[in-house]
Amino acid sequence: MTDIPAPAHVRAIAPYQAGKPIEELAREYGLDPAGIIKLASNENPLGCSDRVRAALAEAAGALHGRYPDPNGFELKAALAARHQVPANWLTLGNGSNDLLELASLALLDEGTSAVYAQHAFVVYRLATQARGARHLMVPARDYGHDLDAMLAAVAGDTRLVFIANPNNPTGTHLSGPRVRAFLESVRERHGERVVVLLDEAYDEYLDPDERADSTQWVREFPNLIVTRTFSKAYGLAGLRVGYALAQPALTDLLNRVRQPFNVGVLAQLAARVALDDADFLARTYALNRAGRTQLQEGFAALGLDFVPSSANFVLVRVGEAARINGELLRRGVIVRPVAGDGLPEHLRVSIGLPEENARLLDALKAVLQA
Ligand SMILES: Cc1ncc(COP(=O)(O)O)c(C=O)c1O
């Protein structure tokens, strides 16, 4: 440890463990990168829309030396039309991760707390710790959020409740009516003192009967932030764009702590074009649905328990996850260990192309039967 006097709450942070990049595994194990598959970061196996690629290629040729539009006028206009809210209800972020940070910066401080679920997206804890606030982790129920227990956990100093729907890394989903009932209970008991951040990074993967009108709930709940991302179904993880919907008073608070130029020129453009490519989104949804069935059936055939997923990954219980992960890596297959999320017997497998899913299942079978 260094002698640099960082605050204790910063020293207490365990840094985020990202999925291993393909190049890193190739270097470490002397493998050919072309033969490695990565099913570790919930990325879109189709890449991104051809229309986005074409728009970016053209824009790259005309790239200027100026800063991006700090207010994201055009992208916000497109999102406002999509979600039927005024543009001043939108905040853009450098990925939706940025918005989680902005919410914590705007609302948390030492002497306050945030509530989140066990096995929920790890950034909720990181963003809370970074502000020196208390983090109140509520035990999961069936791998998902226990909303009753989360409501009960809200303390006098709680300012923020994080909900991931679907949740990462478990893939669990809460129905629209259940989330709405939670929002009503929070309002009844705490008014606007407690903000709920509903993180919908995987919303586009939901089946039609799972979908809720969640972006419209911001009209009724002045204490609600809904976040979405272009990283997953839209395939723009490398460009970093996400957005939040909230009423103007809350949006204004987020804007106060936002870096002025937090979303780059190409990222804003790509998101705008991606938003319009309904065909790409439909192909992504269909591929994911089929891949989810392929993986879940494959896990069942191997006698492995898994958590039925509503997202683009599946959490599977393999037992000795650290050893099995090491064996998969030796075979050029990268998945995500989740011991840091309190799940030492599980691995999280992102849904890939059919041949990638098959390769993972074959490798897993070989490792389990060795
Ligand atoms: C639940 C959840 N929220 C937010 C994010 C942040 O993604 P991004 O910053 O790429 O939008 C992720 C990324 O994996 C996630 O799983």
Side-chain angles (χ1 to χ4, degrees):
M1 238 330 158
T2 157
D3 288 335
I4 294 171
H9 62 261
V10 172
R11 288 176 184 270
I13 293 174
Y16 183 83
Q17 303 283 337
K20 194 185 264 300
I22 288 178
E23 295 69 24
E24 189 178 308
L25 179 65
R27 277 197 303 276
E28 281 178 10
Y29 287 67
L31 299 173
D32 175 5
I36 295 175
I37 60 165
K38 182 181 176 213
L39 302 175
S41 298
N42 304 342
E43 294 147 337
N44 190 327
L46 293 175
C48 68
S49 137
D50 287 338
R51 282 168 57 183
V52 169
R53 274 199 201 92
L56 288 178
E58 196 183 320
L63 203 56
H64 51 67
R66 299 185 209 292
Y67 283 101
D69 174 359
N71 297 314
F73 179 84
E74 292 191 23
L75 177 55
K76 280 191 191 172
L79 289 167
R82 167 65 53 97
H83 294 298
Q84 297 293 297
V85 295
N88 68 346
W89 291 37
L90 285 154
T91 309
L92 302 182
N94 180 36
S96 60
N97 197 141
D98 195 16
L99 297 154
L100 307 177
E101 291 287 340
L102 295 183
S104 72
L105 267 171
L107 301 168
L108 300 178
D109 197 356
E110 286 183 42
T112 68
S113 66
V115 169
Y116 62 95
Q118 180 190 23
H119 314 317
F121 185 45
V122 65
V123 168
Y124 308 153
R125 187 186 68 219
L126 298 179
T128 302
Q129 282 182 300
R131 311 284 90 82
R134 285 197 302 144
H135 50 109
L136 305 175
M137 187 179 79
V138 177
R141 187 160 66 190
D142 298 332
Y143 294 100
H145 293 48
D146 181 343
L147 291 183
D148 295 337
M150 289 178 73
L151 182 65
V154 170
D157 66 357
T158 299
R159 298 286 174 270
L160 187 55
V161 178
F162 290 102
I163 295 177
N165 201 33
N167 183 43
N168 170 24
T170 60
T172 48
H173 176 248
L174 297 159
S175 73
R178 290 207 58 207
V179 178
R180 249 203 82 100
F182 177 80
L183 293 172
E184 278 163 9
S185 302
V186 169
R187 180 171 58 190
E188 228 165 73
R189 290 196 192 180
H190 307 288
E192 294 177 23
R193 180 177 70 76
V194 176
V195 169
V196 178
L197 188 149
L198 182 57
D199 173 353
E200 298 188 326
Y202 301 96
D203 182 81
E204 295 82 2
Y205 294 103
L206 291 176
D207 290 338
D209 62 348
E210 291 177 313
R211 296 213 172 119
D213 221 4
S214 50
T215 58
Q216 297 310 302
W217 297 340
V218 293
R219 295 176 186 285
E220 282 169 79
F221 297 97
N223 61 332
L224 174 64
I225 304 173
V226 176
T227 59
R228 297 270 179 104
T229 185
F230 285 92
S231 297
K232 309 294 177 183
Y234 290 99
L236 302 182
L239 283 166
R240 316 298 305 125
V241 202
Y243 60 99
L245 295 119
Q247 289 192 16
L250 197 43
T251 299
D252 173 62
L253 287 173
L254 299 181
N255 195 43
R256 285 168 195 249
V257 290
R258 182 178 66 83
Q259 285 183 38
F261 304 106
N262 62 334
V263 184
V265 177
L266 296 181
Q268 290 189 32
L269 170 68
R272 223 164 11 95
V273 176
L275 199 60
D276 273 346
D277 195 341
D279 286 350
F280 179 78
L281 209 61
R283 276 202 295 135
T284 294
Y285 170 79
L287 183 87
N288 189 68
R289 208 181 139 103
R292 193 162 56 199
T293 304
Q294 182 186 6
L295 282 183
Q296 294 186 163
E297 287 182 357
F299 293 146
L302 292 172
L304 298 173
D305 288 338
F306 59 88
V307 181
S309 173
S310 293
N312 67 341
F313 52 85
V314 184
L315 185 74
V316 59
R317 184 177 201 157
V318 294
E320 294 175 273
R323 180 183 68 78
I324 289 170
N325 182 52
E327 291 294 326
L328 290 173
L329 288 174
R330 282 204 314 121
R331 289 166 167 80
V333 176
I334 310 175
V335 297
R336 186 63 162 274
V338 283
D341 299 285
L343 296 161
E345 296 192 348
H346 290 75
L347 292 172
R348 191 195 68 192
V349 181
S350 302
I351 295 165
L353 298 171
E355 56 275 22
E356 294 175 324
N357 301 331
R359 179 139 165 238
L360 170 275
L361 290 169
D362 285 349
L364 196 53
K365 186 173 179 184
V367 171
L368 291 171
Q369 293 176 354

